[in-house]
Amino acid sequence: MEPALATTLGASSVAALRPRAARASALTSVAPRAARCARAVRWEAGRSRGRLLRVSCDAAVAEKPTEEEDAAEEKFEYQAEVSRLMDLIVHSLYSHKEVFLRELVSNASDALDKLRFLGVTDSALLADGGDLEIRIKSDPDAGTITVTDTGIGMTKDELKDCLGTIAQSGTSKFLKALKENKEVGSDNSLIGQFGVGFYSAFLVAEKVVVSTKSPKTDKQFVWEADADSSSYVIKEETDPEKLITRGTQITLFLRPDDKYEFADPTRIQGLVKNYSQFVSFPIYTWQEKSRTVEVEEDEEPKEGEEATEGEKEKKKKTITEKYWDWELANETKPIWMRSPKEIEKTEYNEFYKKTFNEFLDPLSYTHFTTEGEVEFRSVIYIPGMAPLSNEEIMNPKTKNIRLYVKRVFISDDFDGELFPRYLSFVKGVVDSNDLPLNVSREILQESRIVRIMRKRLVRKTFDMIEEISEKEDKEDYKKFWESFGKFIKLGCIEDTGNHKRLAPLLRFPTSKNEENMISLDQYVESMPENQNAIYYIATDSLQSAKTAPFLEKLVQKDIEVLYLIEPIDEVAIQNLQTYKEKKFVDISKEDLELGDEDEDSKETKQEYTLLCDWVKQQLGDKVAKVQISKRLSSSPCVLVSGKFGWSANMERLMKAQTLGDTSSLEFMRGRRIFEINPDHPIVKDLNAACKNEPESTEAKRAVELLYETALISSGYTPESPAELGGKIYEMMSIALGGRWGRSDTEAEVTNTESDSSEGTVTEVIEPSEVRPESDPWRD
């Protein structure tokens, strides 16, 4: 094209059509193609006003590429090493080897489901083959596992399609055919739809042999493959002893490393009970059993006596005989698949005890089915008691929730995907038809289905707890709160979105109800009309809360105060902030408003202003300020914390943290305010000392002792307990000196006895100092 443009427009004009950076290279790259189409294109160019360039094209028809150009494009298929690809697929989908049995049993269950479904319209399919069942036999000596089902089986073509093609699922094809045939309907209870479950057998097997017989054909075929091979063999079964009536028989030849674990019959039975306990068809495992039988023994004749065979007395004895037989492994039925109206409470309790190895009945349970956007069935329980081990408390990985997909166990190892951490004590089963069978931790974390399931499970759990709290018999909720109250408080910290449902469940002792805990609703209902806040105090015990000086004025005014006596309580309440538009107020912090300030209090403040300044001068930086207290009635003083700093209780907890950051203690400790009670005699005496003798040493020492005493009574820890003890002893000696009239004669008698004892000196020789004359070290 460019040579044609050059003849019409000129070289300079053509160059102007290209970007500057590409002008040099464009000529060589475009020229060969331009030469083919230049004959069919007529370009016109002209100059318009200014320096604009106009280019028009009347027709542009490119010539067809020649055969040589066609040969330049070739199509290639991706090449893959099948054995390596299969190894990657299997090990990326399955993190535990033991799931191979779950996958094979699930495939067998699908085969039985297909046969049962097709047998509705064609009863001839069920004519031969016996009951619909699965049998698993392990041989420790040979190192093999055989899984046999009486399902639909496979023809030779189906063997090629299903087992010869990786990720080709016969179940998904079957479901697709059902959906296309609307008259027959569809059954979404079939499990495997990905076509990779069968290959999980290669997790433990070095060789797999599949023998199958379909009722559609008279021939039985055998599929055989090695784990490290990229090919497989299909042949017709000719051995009469190996012929089966209908179904599929899979034989796994275990690897040497896995032979001792998975060829054990007890191990096989445990895996069936764990993963496939609720499969709808009976699963039998080959187990060794024992029984007692009576056998006859011949009594030996005595010496010198001979007895004929017929005269021998026969005596019976009991022996234990071992034998092998089939044992049903999935006796427990999936209770969640039944209607709740048909199930008694005793059945729910028995299912709970058997599934979770509990010995106490649950406090409560709920059985529900969710339909719509996400469909799943669930039965969840609140245990009858808290975990015995401290490690299980607040541990999200408690294995309390068992997830099933179409009655096949998937996992119980969750890290908050189905329940938040504060509800980790809830136990139950969840069965979903919407999750894939090959579910992994990443799928659970990212799945929208799981997020919807989590919301509904949490909602149902709250409904269940609220039902317990609303019962007339309060003993059940008392048991619940004693066992799981800490979990609910943790929810107030971690789950801000559910504060409205968590807050009514809280229970605390109060200044009016020390023995029986009350709810926040009961507190608000009993509040006076002029009270605008919910008051609380956080301490380390109920006794210290009852005797705290902060309570004095509130108790006098008949105001109820919540006692927060557990370490988690204060943090939980601070995260709630309000309840029913009532703020939570800590009575151990500054700016406590009780609505009782009058003219007398203002006059008192003015009267004691000089004392406050003098005390602040004596204490220095130990306190931020000194002020008249509104919360004291009998105590002389109290030490309150700043509005935005830690309380005394929180400071104590943070100091006790093993991995606490000591550098933040000074920053978060906040300021301390020293409040004095102007009606107390000690404060009145100090007020007089401040006015009359401000430099008195005794008055200053009294202020120091008063401050350090207030530290202890307010919940703080003194910096030097020994120094405080010395000051108290000194004050006691001054106060008690000669009060009870101790006579001086007692002191004289004591001195006389000591003098007489000094006149007689007794020499005491230690045993180590007695040395014989033959001692070589003797001086």
Side-chain angles (χ1 to χ4, degrees), residues 364-377:
S364 182
Y365 63 86
T366 181
H367 180 188
F368 62 94
T369 301
T370 301
E371 297 178 350
E373 187 177 6
V374 175
E375 295 185 6
F376 68 93
R377 298 171 181 265

Side-chain angles (χ1 to χ4, degrees), residues 510-513 518 523 526 531 535 558-562:
T510 68
S511 56
K512 295 183 179 180
N513 296 273
I518 67 170
Y523 181 96
S526 62
Q531 183 178 338
Y535 297 105
D558 197 31
I559 297 175
E560 194 169 13
V561 180
L562 298 177

Side-chain angles (χ1 to χ4, degrees), residues 546-775:
K546 290 161 53 177
T547 57
F550 306 102
L551 282 171
E552 294 173 358
K553 205 75 171 181
L554 287 93
V555 173
Q556 188 177 0
K557 289 178 171 291
D558 197 31
I559 297 175
E560 194 169 13
V561 180
L562 298 177
Y563 291 161
L564 310 185
I565 57 178
E566 292 186 351
I568 196 175
D569 289 352
E570 185 175 2
V571 184
I573 290 296
Q574 288 175 352
N575 277 270
L576 286 178
Q577 296 183 353
T578 61
Y579 182 72
K580 291 187 175 180
E581 299 180 356
K582 304 288 185 182
K583 288 185 177 181
F584 289 99
V585 175
D586 187 351
I587 63 172
S588 68
K589 292 194 173 184
E590 66 174 328
D591 296 339
L592 178 65
E593 296 294 338
L594 300 177
D596 57 348
E597 189 172 359
D598 50 15
E599 293 296 329
D600 293 338
S601 61
K602 292 181 179 179
E603 292 179 1
T604 304
K605 280 185 179 180
Q606 293 177 357
E607 181 181 353
Y608 284 86
T609 300
L610 181 61
L611 175 63
C612 292
D613 294 340
W614 182 71
V615 172
K616 174 66 174 71
Q617 184 181 1
Q618 305 308 316
L619 297 178
D621 295 336
K622 294 180 180 179
V623 296
K625 64 178 179 178
V626 180
Q627 63 186 20
I628 302 300
S629 178
K630 301 177 184 178
R631 68 193 90 205
L632 298 177
S633 61
S634 59
S635 298
C637 59
V638 71
L639 201 63
V640 301
S641 57
K643 193 172 183 179
F644 302 104
W646 283 338
S647 65
N649 181 66
M650 184 60 66
E651 185 176 327
R652 174 181 60 83
L653 293 175
M654 296 307 295
K655 283 183 178 180
Q657 297 298 313
T658 305
L659 302 177
D661 184 10
T662 55
S663 61
S664 64
L665 289 177
E666 290 297 325
F667 175 74
M668 290 300 298
R669 187 175 66 178
R671 60 180 190 165
R672 296 173 180 175
I673 294 94
F674 190 61
E675 293 188 354
I676 56 177
N677 180 9
D679 298 327
H680 198 277
I682 295 178
V683 177
K684 290 181 178 180
D685 289 342
L686 288 176
N687 189 34
C690 168
K691 293 179 179 178
N692 301 325
E693 197 175 347
E695 299 300 327
S696 171
T697 305
E698 293 181 356
K700 292 180 180 180
R701 289 165 62 188
V703 170
E704 288 286 341
L705 185 60
L706 200 65
Y707 166 77
E708 293 183 2
T709 307
L711 271 176
I712 299 175
S713 63
S714 302
Y716 293 99
T717 304
E719 295 179 0
S720 177
E723 185 178 347
L724 173 61
K727 292 179 181 178
I728 295 175
Y729 297 150
E730 184 181 356
M731 295 293 289
M732 289 177 65
S733 63
I734 295 173
L736 300 179
R739 171 168 292 188
W740 292 283
R742 186 182 64 166
S743 62
D744 295 337
T745 57
E746 295 179 1
E748 292 176 359
V749 170
T750 305
N751 294 333
T752 303
E753 292 177 353
S754 61
D755 294 340
S756 61
S757 62
E758 290 176 0
T760 306
V761 179
T762 304
E763 183 180 359
V764 179
I765 301 176
E766 298 293 334
S768 61
E769 297 178 2
V770 179
R771 300 179 182 178
E773 295 182 358
S774 60
D775 188 356

